[in-house]
Amino acid sequence: MKATLLGLWLMWLSAHACAATTLVINAALDRDVVAPLLDAFSHANPDIELIYHDGSTLEVERQLQAGTRQSADIVLSSAMPWQLAAVNANRAQALDIPEAAEWPAWAKWRDEVFGFTFEPIVIAYRLELAHAMRPPETHRDVLALLHAHRTLLRGRVTTYSPERSGVGYTLFQQDARYSPRFWDLVAALGAADVSLEATSRNMLEGLSAGRYWLGYNLLGSYALVWAREHPDIIVQVPSDYSLVLMRMAFVTRDAPHPEAARRFMAFLLGHAGQHVMAGQTPLFSVRPDVTGPYTAQRLRDQVGDHLYPIPIDASLLAFVDPLRRDAFMARWLRELKILDDGTTTQ
Amino acid sequence: MIVIEQSLRRRLLLWLAAVTLVFGVALLIEAYVSARRAADRTFDGLLDSASLTIGEAIQWQDGKPLVAMPSAALQILATPSQERVFYALFGANGETVTANAALPISDAMRRAAHAGPVYADITHDSVRLRIEGREIDSAGWETREPVQIWVAHTRGGREALIRALMERAALRFIVMALLAAALVWLAVRTSLAPLERIRQLLRARTPDDLRPLAVSVPLELKELVIALDQLLERQRASHDRLMRFIADASHQLKTPLAGLQSTSELALRSTDAADWHQALVEVNHGARRSARLAQQLLSLARLDHRHDEAFVVLDLVTLARARLIDWIGRAASQAHDLGFDGPNQPVMVRAIAWQLEEFLNNALDNALRYTPPDSAITVGVVTTAQQVTLFVEDDGAGVDEALLPRLAMPFERAGRQDTTGSGLGLAIAASVATHHNAELAITRAGVGGLRVALHFKRERLL
Amino acid sequence: MLARATARALAPLGHITDVLMRGHDARHALQEGGFDLVLLDLGLPDVEGLELLRELRSRGDNTPVLILTARDSVDDRVRGLDLGADDYLAKPFQIAELEARVRALLRRSQQRTSDALCLGTLHFNIRTVSATLDGAALELPRRELHLLESLLSQAGQLVTRETLEARLFGFDAVGPNALDVYVSRLRKRLEGHGLRIRTVRGLGYLLEEFTP
């Protein structure tokens, strides 16, 4: 009798230990993509109960600003300008762990926010496109195809909606910075009656379903995994330049569970987390000392040195300036219709 | 008595420490102020660039300023120190054109920005920021309205720069202070070395080695060595004097003692009562001489070796009269005509009574010894505007003028060897004079004999 | 040796001398009393000489005391006189000096007990105010008698001009030489009788025995 009681007591203790603390993560990252990462963390830290809220990039940003969701310990998002704005607005705390200090300087800001993935932006197309024309390898190729095969591609082109996707908006802003011909591309997309999607997954599904032949500015992490399972989809890392998106993580200033948050960040930025990321998720690891199929180093080896990570610095703040955003969107809409008008007048 | 004060080295180092502390604090304050100014100047330039870059991006559309916030401006503003950046643009009527934060910009600051760029330190969201505001007159097709651009960033880079500059200043200062301390230590060591040499020289001396110091010393110690040499010189002179005195004294004592011995021996050999009587007369004479000599030697020794006696104010007339009356009672004065010559009212001087009495005793004794019976001996006190004189004079044969100066020297009788005097009386008088800072004048008296006078300077009087 | 010499010197004058070498013995002897004169040497081996003097005077004993001291410092002298010593003599001294002092002291002590003042062959009766010299009556005017009495009462000691003038003339205004005139008259009368009046210029006169 005595022994049974003792056993129960121990069980209760261990169960309690399991849920010693919780950790709330707000993320704009599909849970199934990062599942291996979260599982590995939970396995290593059984005393931390993870509460994971998923949402689109803009949702996460809105929640952060409004503070509607129960205050999070960690915010993960690929909406880089908004993450940086949050940090600039003093909503993050500096992280003084060795992993943070060792993190490459180009992938962090103020030791408060860290770009923990390395995701190339890619072009994806169906095999049919390759049969009908020479498939695009560069941004120029996309523009040329849109001009050359305008009728064939009409309605079969997709890309991000800058209005509904923070990632899309960021990518287009960045594109506009790199090439003045970007707006020609936008005009050509408009002329091809481009379909604007909110997520890369939607675009990939449209491609698989045959609705779209060509997808522009997809997240490479999703597209590469998708292409492996869907042989009719081909993923091309642009060979002129390829933007690289980084998901950014920070610990909130008023994190209710700061210790757990620090441990999660140490895991995320440390060798273990990055190793899981490189091996078990399509989120390329940033750390140069991590090996696996999905690492920044390996990507660089494959596609050469024309990878252009979106810089994590104050310049991103300009993108979230409402005036600039309004101006950009106004131009976007104008450019999107320019050639339409042209054809109708023609 | 030797009072050991604090060590020189320690005192100098303490002074240095105090000076260093004061200067150090002042220097560090100055360093901080100038470091801050330098940092602000450097970083304020970046604020300038950022605000000007933003200014260039302003365009007018539909009568409203439109700004495509330039990424470059924000990057400049962030600086390599990754400052957090803030900006706010205001229209002509103070309305916000665009901003990424509600910065606490007062109306006064906005008014000041009309005139030119304004820099200020503000606190936003409990973080200290450096802010700059400037007004841009933008030229558009429809409007020409000013736009105020305010840019701000955190002070991390500035503080880091100030810290770095301060650390360097502090380091420089510490090195300087340590160098100064080492120098002082060395300086004290080297400058005390001559003192050490002198100490060793003095210590190595035998008690009777009173030669001048043969040592090379720096200019600053010249006076000390001269003073030491003078002290040694005085010691030597005093020593020599003492040795001479002892030699004289023993000679003087030996003479009557030898006389006593030989006379008594001769008398013991004789059986004639007349010889005995003659011998006894001589023995008596020799004994008296010896006794008197011993007393005077004691007197002189006492005068020479007691320097701690207190001077009191006393009446010279009373003292002189009392001495004279005392002598009148003595058998030795029966045959002489004694007299007193002085004022009827007191004459006060600061003096040591027993020494003046000693003076009078010896001068009177001398006068009684060296003058024939019925000679007049006068003790007197004379006051003039400049001095007070205590004198003893006689109308005896006197002394040859040429010999007068030698009278005050011990065992000098100026040729009057025939008498029972010891030759110490006037030496005692001279010593008394020295003690009283008075002048001893041994002159021919107006009445023909010797005059021994003590002239007290008036400032010794009350 | 000094004590012995002293005792021998005093014997011819008709005195009997007790020599006490230790202060302790001297104290006992003094307590017994019966001395005409005490010669007190301040350098006694076991007792402070001045202490003995203090004890003596505190008992009301007026025996004349002559202090013998090697320390002729003012302090000792003054203290000794303050404590009631009658005279002092510094060592070394001549026997003749001692004799004179002893004689003077004894004379004064005797005068305290009789009406007669004596010096050598001169006798002066204070009560009858009359003097005899060598047994013969000495006829003198009143002022000269007063002068003689004044000098005789302090025979061997100086009597100042001021004292004598006050005694002779009272408050009468007299010339500066008036006293000298009386003194020289008196001096003539005493001439040839082993007595003389010594003039101390500027101070006064003293009457003493004199052997030419």
Side-chain angles (χ1 to χ4, degrees), chain A residues 31-46:
Chain A
R31 180 158 194 155
D32 46 348
V33 173
V34 292
L37 196 65
L38 301 180
D39 289 347
F41 177 73
S42 289
H43 188 72
N45 301 278

Side-chain angles (χ1 to χ4, degrees), chain B residues 166-337:
Chain B
M166 283 297 288
E167 271 166 18
R168 246 183 296 166
L171 190 70
R172 272 199 302 272
F173 175 73
I174 286 168
V175 168
M176 246 172 56
L178 287 178
L179 267 175
L183 277 176
V184 165
W185 191 76
L186 259 176
V188 170
R189 229 178 112 98
T190 47
S191 51
L192 286 185
L195 279 181
E196 174 64 18
R197 277 206 299 280
I198 293 172
R199 187 183 73 85
Q200 280 172 353
L201 266 176
L202 288 177
R203 184 163 277 193
R205 289 259 165 128
T206 54
D208 54 349
D209 184 356
L210 297 171
R211 285 172 302 149
L213 291 171
V215 64
S216 70
V217 291
L219 193 63
E220 288 79 359
L221 290 181
K222 197 179 104 188
E223 293 301 323
L224 174 68
V225 173
I226 289 177
L228 269 174
D229 274 349
Q230 282 170 347
L231 177 66
L232 286 172
E233 171 63 35
R234 277 197 302 277
Q235 285 282 328
R236 194 166 59 238
S238 155
H239 183 250
D240 291 351
R241 217 163 40 241
L242 188 65
M243 293 314 285
R244 211 160 42 237
F245 181 77
I246 288 173
D248 289 347
S250 55
H251 174 73
Q252 295 289 334
L253 275 171
K254 256 190 282 177
T255 312
L257 286 175
L260 281 177
Q261 199 177 358
S262 55
T263 308
S264 52
E265 275 170 14
L266 279 173
L268 283 172
R269 267 185 229 159
S270 166
T271 50
D272 185 356
D275 285 350
W276 293 348
H277 185 261
Q278 177 58 33
L280 278 173
V281 168
E282 281 169 28
V283 164
N284 177 257
H285 181 73
R288 271 202 232 169
R289 216 172 126 182
S290 310
R292 184 176 145 73
L293 183 64
Q295 193 191 4
Q296 281 186 318
L297 282 172
L298 269 171
S299 257
L300 202 53
R302 203 167 131 206
L303 276 167
D304 280 349
H305 295 282
R306 283 182 66 179
H307 301 289
D308 53 348
E309 280 165 296
F311 282 77
V312 293
V313 178
L314 51 86
D315 175 17
L316 215 47
V317 172
T318 303
L319 183 128
R321 282 174 64 132
R323 245 352 34 217
L324 186 59
I325 290 170
D326 186 76
W327 273 89
I328 287 162
R330 298 191 189 183
S333 68
Q334 298 294 317
H336 284 80
D337 170 17

Side-chain angles (χ1 to χ4, degrees), chain B residues 403-418:
Chain B
L403 294 174
L404 284 178
R406 291 173 52 193
L407 278 183
M409 289 154 81
F411 308 113
E412 184 62 64
R413 290 192 202 81
R416 300 187 289 185
Q417 294 290 355
D418 52 321

Side-chain angles (χ1 to χ4, degrees), chain A residues 40-331:
Chain A
F41 177 73
S42 289
H43 188 72
N45 301 278
D47 56 329
I48 296 175
E49 187 197 348
L50 271 180
I51 299 172
Y52 190 88
H53 296 298
D54 195 7
S56 79
T57 52
L58 294 181
E59 251 171 42
V60 168
E61 168 59 20
R62 265 196 299 279
Q63 282 160 6
L64 193 64
Q65 286 217 313
T68 48
R69 191 70 65 84
Q70 178 201 351
S71 46
D73 296 303
I74 288 176
V75 177
L76 306 176
S77 173
S78 53
M80 298 174 72
W82 282 272
Q83 288 286 82
L84 204 88
V87 173
N88 191 56
N90 202 15
R91 287 214 289 277
Q93 55 172 284
L95 208 55
D96 56 349
I97 54 175
E99 289 82 357
E102 288 160 17
W103 202 247
W106 55 268
K108 65 180 176 184
W109 199 60
R110 293 176 62 85
D111 278 344
E112 291 177 22
V113 64
F114 302 85
F116 64 97
T117 65
F118 192 82
E119 299 175 54
I121 303 304
V122 299
I123 302 161
Y125 54 88
R126 285 189 65 80
L127 270 175
E128 286 98 316
L129 182 124
H131 296 146
M133 59 198 83
R134 191 168 163 271
E137 284 179 18
T138 65
H139 292 81
R140 184 191 299 271
D141 290 347
V142 176
L143 180 57
L145 283 187
L146 287 174
H147 279 304
H149 307 281
R150 189 165 168 182
T151 39
L152 185 61
L153 290 175
R154 186 184 290 269
R156 284 180 170 153
V157 182
T158 185
T159 191
Y160 269 115
S161 158
E163 266 173 316
R164 283 179 289 144
S165 165
V167 170
Y169 170 73
T170 308
L171 295 176
F172 293 138
Q173 279 273 20
Q174 199 65 21
D175 273 334
R177 279 179 80 184
Y178 283 131
S179 167
R181 299 200 60 191
F182 167 71
W183 294 113
D184 294 344
L185 183 63
V186 173
L189 285 170
D193 278 347
V194 68
S195 297
L196 301 176
E197 295 285 0
T199 66
S200 289
R201 178 177 290 269
N202 289 353
M203 288 189 259
L204 288 167
E205 279 168 0
L207 283 165
S208 281
R211 270 187 285 132
Y212 309 131
W213 278 18
L214 178 63
Y216 174 73
N217 269 10
L218 280 79
L219 283 179
S221 48
Y222 290 90
L224 288 166
V225 173
W226 190 272
R228 205 171 301 158
E229 291 157 12
H230 302 84
D232 50 342
I233 308 293
I234 291 156
V235 172
Q236 172 70 47
V237 179
S239 60
D240 50 352
Y241 74 89
S242 172
L243 294 178
V244 174
L245 184 92
M246 281 185 276
R247 284 171 211 272
M248 290 162 66
F250 67 84
V251 179
T252 58
R253 186 181 62 185
D254 307 316
H257 314 102
E259 189 43 46
R262 253 193 293 284
R263 274 160 67 184
F264 183 82
M265 290 300 287
F267 173 79
L268 188 64
L269 303 178
H271 201 270
Q274 290 284 309
H275 188 73
V276 171
M277 220 149 69
Q280 299 172 37
T281 75
L283 305 170
F284 290 81
S285 161
V286 175
R287 282 179 75 117
D289 58 345
V290 169
T291 54
Y294 305 110
T295 68
Q297 197 50 50
R298 185 146 176 193
L299 195 64
R300 281 203 177 97
D301 292 346
Q302 283 173 2
V303 305
D305 56 356
H306 52 267
L307 292 172
Y308 284 73
I310 298 168
I312 299 180
D313 63 29
S315 65
L316 283 178
L317 294 173
F319 298 166
V320 294
D321 183 72
L323 218 53
R324 174 153 174 171
R325 185 175 159 86
D326 288 351
F328 184 85
M329 290 312 297
R331 180 150 187 204

